[in-house]
């Protein structure tokens, strides 16, 4: 009785060439741009964004942070803290997530509180993220007063 050897033992160079060809084809498919998701800038969507956002030092943005901070501290935490002013306002990023995401401006500032303390504030201004999707929305975090750690550690998750 004659025993036959497997094909990869009989012709090792042909088997090796075939394996390399299959591996090369798989790697080419994984690295091709067809495997990536398409990047469509937010301004070119069916319902486009315009990228027009208020500046970091816009009074309406800072007033919204003050008002919501007051609401949260008085109604939820019952602390009596108020923001009485801002300084060192600066932009730290604009559309840092990419051109195909909702336009956002990331900012930091220093807030003066009514108990004579200073806290850094990290906030982002997003287009069409206001009430029911109208106007801009503001997401903010006051360092040291993020009591439920929503943006922990030290408001890092509110920054880009």
């Amino acid at each position: 009785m004659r025993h036959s050897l497997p094909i990869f033992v009989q012709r090792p160079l042909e088997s090796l060439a075939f394996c390399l060809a299959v591996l090369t084809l798989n790697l080419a498919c994984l690295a091709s741009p067809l495997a990536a998701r398409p990047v469509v800038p937010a301004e070119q969507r069916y319902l486009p964004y315009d990228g027009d956002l208020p500046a970091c030092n816009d009074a309406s943005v800072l007033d919204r942070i003050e008002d919501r901070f007051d609401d949260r501290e008085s109604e939820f935490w019952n602390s009596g803290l108020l923001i009485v002013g801002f300084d060192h306002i600066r932009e730290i990023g604009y559309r840092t997530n990419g051109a195909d995401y909702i336009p956002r401006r990331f900012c930091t500032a220093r807030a003066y509180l009514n108990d004579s303390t200073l806290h850094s504030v990290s906030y982002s201004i997003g287009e069409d993220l206001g009430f029911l999707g109208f106007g801009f929305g503001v997401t903010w975090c006051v360092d040291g007063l993020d009591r439920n750690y929503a943006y922990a550690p030290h408001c890092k998750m509110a920054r880009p």
Side-chain angles (χ1 to χ4, degrees):
M1 182 182 327
R2 184 173 176 209
H3 295 285
S4 65
L5 296 172
I7 190 76
F8 63 87
V9 174
Q10 292 175 6
R11 300 181 201 156
L13 292 177
E14 291 175 14
S15 298
L16 181 62
F18 177 74
C19 289
L20 287 175
V22 170
L23 181 64
T24 304
L25 181 63
N26 285 337
L27 290 175
C29 288
L30 289 175
S32 74
L34 297 175
R37 66 179 180 82
V39 176
V40 177
E43 291 83 6
Q44 296 175 5
R45 292 184 184 170
Y46 180 71
L47 296 171
Y49 291 98
D50 58 13
D52 186 25
L53 293 168
C56 292
N57 60 354
D58 190 285
S60 60
V61 172
L62 299 176
D63 288 343
R64 191 173 296 185
I65 294 171
E66 284 180 17
D67 291 342
R68 293 202 178 140
F69 180 81
D70 177 38
D71 290 345
R72 185 188 72 182
E73 291 298 314
S74 64
E75 294 175 19
F76 189 73
W77 295 109
N78 198 18
S79 69
L81 291 176
L82 298 169
I83 295 176
V84 294
F86 292 97
D87 72 352
H88 292 67
I89 301 167
R90 64 186 179 93
E91 181 177 309
I92 58 172
Y94 178 71
R95 300 186 76 159
T96 55
N97 295 334
D100 56 331
Y101 291 94
I102 295 173
R104 282 185 173 84
R105 183 182 311 277
F106 293 92
C107 311
T108 61
R110 190 167 62 175
Y112 293 94
L113 301 178
N114 61 344
D115 65 348
S116 301
T117 59
L118 297 172
H119 293 269
S120 67
V121 180
S122 300
Y123 57 101
S124 66
I125 307 161
E127 184 176 345
D128 293 342
L129 296 177
F131 183 69
L132 295 176
F134 294 103
F136 65 90
V138 179
T139 304
W140 52 273
C141 177
V142 178
D143 191 15
L145 296 172
D146 182 22
R147 295 181 181 97
N148 60 348
Y149 302 110
Y151 299 101
H154 301 287
C155 296
K156 179 182 177 185
M157 296 298 120
R159 296 188 290 270

